[in-house]
Amino acid sequence: MTRFDTIITGGRISTASDTFQCDIGIREGRIAALGHDLGIADETIDATGKWVLPGGIDSHVHISQPSGEGVVMADDFESATRSAALGGNTMVLPFCLQESGVPLRESLKDYHAKAEGSCHTDVSFHLIISDPTEQVLGQDLPALVHEGYTSFKVFMTYEGLALSDLELLKVMAVARETRALVMVHAENYDVIRYLTDQLEQAGRTAPFFHATSRPVIAEREATYRAISLAELSEVPLMVVHVSNREAMEEIRRARQKGLRIFGETCPQYLTLTEGDLEGLNMEGAKYVCSPPPRDHESQQACWEGLQQGVFDVFSSDHCPFRYDDPQGKLTPKGRTSFRWVPNGIPGVGARLPILFSEGVVKGRIDINRFVALTATNHARTYGLYPKKGTIAVGADADIAIWDPGAKNRLTHAMLNDGADYTPYEGMELTGWPVLTMLRGQTIMRDGVLTGIRAGAHVARRISDHA
Ligand code: DUC
Ligand code: ZN
Ligand code: ZN
């Protein structure tokens, strides 16, 4: 009988489409067999009473990204992927930011150097296009797509990042030519600038007013505009971090017209509201992210979007800054106005346990939808399927074993990222990943990392949507 490196026995396996009971034989990092009585292996893992799922893929995280003068992101590749592994993930997709005046390839080389040898999970970079020069559009992007960087993020807001409609169209033209997938941060820059100025003039500078300065209208309008530009350009589009019903309706309408428009939402839009930004003193800064968390009705809308398919992917938008730190949320400038509070919150470790508990355990989504939203659809969307994102013979043995009955009160210590808080502190959660396996190697067992840093960069194919 053929020998395996590892056999996982007795677990209940779920993919995006099926649930079944069988053993998994793993050889040389891949799933080599699914069946019963698979024979002998160097190691047997008993998963009786547990769910055996594809390892989570978080296709929207920020790691070691330059964040403005005097501000430092809380995670490097080691700490971010450490938290990811603790939370049942086997892959994350961070961004390589094109910095002003720096050739895109040079930035990419820097990110690779930082990631090399540090990662507990696999990684693959998206590109953020902040300056679509002729060199970038004509030379760099086509070559980089060819080399496996098959998705770009563009921003419609933020100084130094926001692209004009003309620039968005130029990037989309390259996407059409190369079949790359465009991801868009959709908020109307001028609306936000106008409201921010007004609020500051009225002395309304506390973190709470971050939410006031970025209303639903600003997100809905930009979502509509981005979709229109994608329609004109005949390219698929991923609208990331969608926070509310009105923006969702734009995506839904586009989909009904047959356009290839896709949506992503994140834990903060299911669990937080703008009320969280109201904390005493600067406490509200812990929840400053964009788009901001909205209200309970928006949370309900986002759940419907996850159930009904408006959203294809559920990502963390992990963008961590320490709270009690002058290089983080308490940067001196941030105390003068919400305008300067570092924008983003941590979530890479919490994403899966939150969706499992609030979604699967509470009956809002089934386990197959959970797998689709947290792994399979990320793999399909970003050119990784079927190597990643499913449990099938031939796929990488990227697996998370879940104890569906484990009860935990979430603390930052359990997540162990580089920040000093979690916005989800104290949530009562049922279900927790007890083992994470990357390409056949156990990287986390019972909340403890094994120390194997076998994570590698994965070049991606063209998106299934392109
Ligand atoms: N957009 C993101 O995608 N992440 C953090 C901040 C932001 O504006
Ligand atoms: Zn964004
Ligand atoms: Zn983000």
Side-chain angles (χ1 to χ4, degrees):
M1 194 172 271
T2 347
R3 193 180 180 93
F4 295 99
D5 299 329
T6 306
I7 298 178
I8 301 174
T9 60
R12 213 160 17 139
I13 299 170
S14 272
T15 66
S17 55
D18 301 298
T19 297
F20 48 94
Q21 192 111 23
C22 77
D23 300 343
I24 302 177
I26 295 163
R27 196 181 303 118
E28 292 175 2
R30 293 191 177 193
I31 297 172
L34 296 170
H36 298 281
D37 304 321
L38 292 180
I40 39 176
D42 294 341
E43 184 194 20
T44 299
I45 297 172
D46 181 8
T48 305
K50 309 283 196 302
W51 284 106
V52 180
L53 309 178
I57 301 174
D58 193 340
S59 59
H60 186 156
V61 304
H62 302 263
I63 305 174
S64 289
Q65 200 175 295
S67 303
E69 219 184 297
V71 174
V72 177
M73 207 162 257
D75 270 318
D76 57 19
F77 283 86
E78 192 282 321
S79 59
T81 58
R82 172 177 81 202
S83 184
L86 288 168
N89 298 280
T90 50
M91 183 161 194
V92 298
L93 278 68
F95 295 88
C96 163
L97 169 68
Q98 179 197 7
E99 282 189 85
S100 168
V102 181
L104 192 48
R105 260 190 197 281
E106 218 162 280
S107 299
L108 199 49
K109 223 167 96 190
D110 287 351
Y111 280 90
H112 274 282
K114 286 183 200 161
E116 184 80 37
S118 299
C119 294
H120 298 264
T121 68
D122 279 347
V123 297
S124 188
F125 292 112
H126 308 288
L127 307 171
I128 291 177
I129 309 306
S130 60
D131 186 12
T133 60
E134 280 186 20
Q135 166 73 28
V136 167
L137 295 168
Q139 312 291 324
D140 299 346
L141 287 180
L144 289 170
V145 173
H146 189 68
E147 290 168 34
Y149 305 92
T150 55
S151 46
F152 332 134
K153 184 175 178 191
V154 289
F155 285 79
M156 298 171 80
T157 185
Y158 292 128
E159 189 169 340
L161 285 177
L163 302 190
S164 67
D165 291 355
L166 179 63
E167 290 172 319
L168 291 170
L169 286 166
K170 288 181 179 178
V171 172
M172 288 179 181
V174 175
R176 179 161 159 75
E177 199 61 32
T178 59
R179 297 173 65 219
L181 182 68
V182 178
M183 310 159 76
V184 67
H185 178 128
E187 287 184 296
N188 181 310
Y189 187 29
D190 285 333
V191 167
I192 294 165
R193 278 198 282 196
Y194 171 75
L195 292 176
T196 299
D197 288 346
Q198 298 251 311
L199 287 161
E200 283 186 342
Q201 279 161 25
R204 300 182 160 196
T205 56
F208 173 74
F209 295 105
H210 169 81
T212 320
S213 73
R214 310 178 89 99
V216 165
I217 295 168
E219 186 181 342
R220 183 246 289 154
E221 184 280 332
T223 302
Y224 172 72
R225 185 156 37 98
I227 290 171
S228 303
L229 300 180
E231 181 179 8
L232 187 81
S233 307
E234 298 180 320
V235 292
L237 180 72
M238 170 61 76
V239 186
V240 295
H241 49 47
V242 176
S243 72
N244 70 87
R245 191 180 294 282
E246 293 188 24
M248 282 171 51
E249 289 308 329
E250 300 299 339
I251 297 171
R252 198 195 304 270
R253 190 161 48 240
R255 284 274 267 267
Q256 280 165 356
K257 276 173 72 176
L259 301 175
R260 291 167 295 162
I261 306 296
F262 303 91
E264 171 199 81
T265 195
C266 314
Q268 52 268 41
Y269 306 118
L270 302 180
T271 59
L272 304 177
T273 68
E274 66 172 13
D276 288 299
L277 278 78
E278 270 175 1
L280 277 180
N281 302 317
M282 287 294 289
E283 278 285 312
K286 288 181 177 173
Y287 307 92
V288 165
C289 61
S290 296
R294 307 288 183 187
D295 56 12
H296 291 292
E297 204 291 313
S298 300
Q299 293 179 347
Q300 175 55 30
C302 288
W303 277 114
E304 289 169 23
L306 290 169
Q307 291 160 339
Q308 297 166 4
V310 174
F311 298 125
D312 263 54
V313 288
F314 182 73
S315 308
S316 66
D317 194 4
H318 180 76
C319 187
F321 298 97
R322 289 172 55 80
Y323 172 67
D324 194 6
D325 191 325
Q327 292 188 316
K329 294 285 190 180
L330 296 189
T331 175
K333 264 176 106 176
R335 291 173 184 270
T336 68
S337 168
F338 63 85
R339 185 198 289 262
W340 305 111
V341 173
N343 219 314
I345 60 176
V348 71
R351 172 185 75 127
L352 296 177
I354 288 175
L355 191 67
F356 191 94
S357 185
E358 291 294 307
V360 180
V361 175
K362 292 196 174 167
R364 291 174 165 126
I365 56 172
D366 65 19
I367 191 74
N368 308 104
R369 185 76 185 134
F370 174 84
V371 171
L373 286 166
T374 58
T376 314
N377 290 354
H378 298 256
R380 286 186 183 280
T381 301
Y382 295 106
L384 292 160
Y385 189 84
K387 177 180 162 69
K388 303 286 191 188
T390 193
I391 292 181
V393 172
D396 281 359
D398 291 354
I399 290 169
I401 301 181
W402 284 71
D403 178 350
K407 293 206 183 292
N408 283 291
R409 188 161 198 276
L410 190 62
T411 64
H412 178 250
M414 295 159 78
L415 303 171
N416 200 14
D417 58 28
D420 55 355
Y421 76 101
T422 169
Y424 312 109
E425 185 78 27
M427 275 188 83
E428 300 287 351
L429 299 178
T430 301
W432 197 264
V434 293
L435 186 143
T436 312
M437 175 183 281
L438 174 66
R439 286 181 274 107
Q441 298 194 73
T442 298
I443 55 172
M444 184 279 284
R445 192 189 290 266
D446 296 327
V448 180
L449 295 164
T450 59
I452 297 170
R453 295 191 201 171
H457 184 267
V458 181
R460 288 177 286 119
R461 294 184 300 98
I462 294 302
S463 167
D464 282 12
H465 303 317

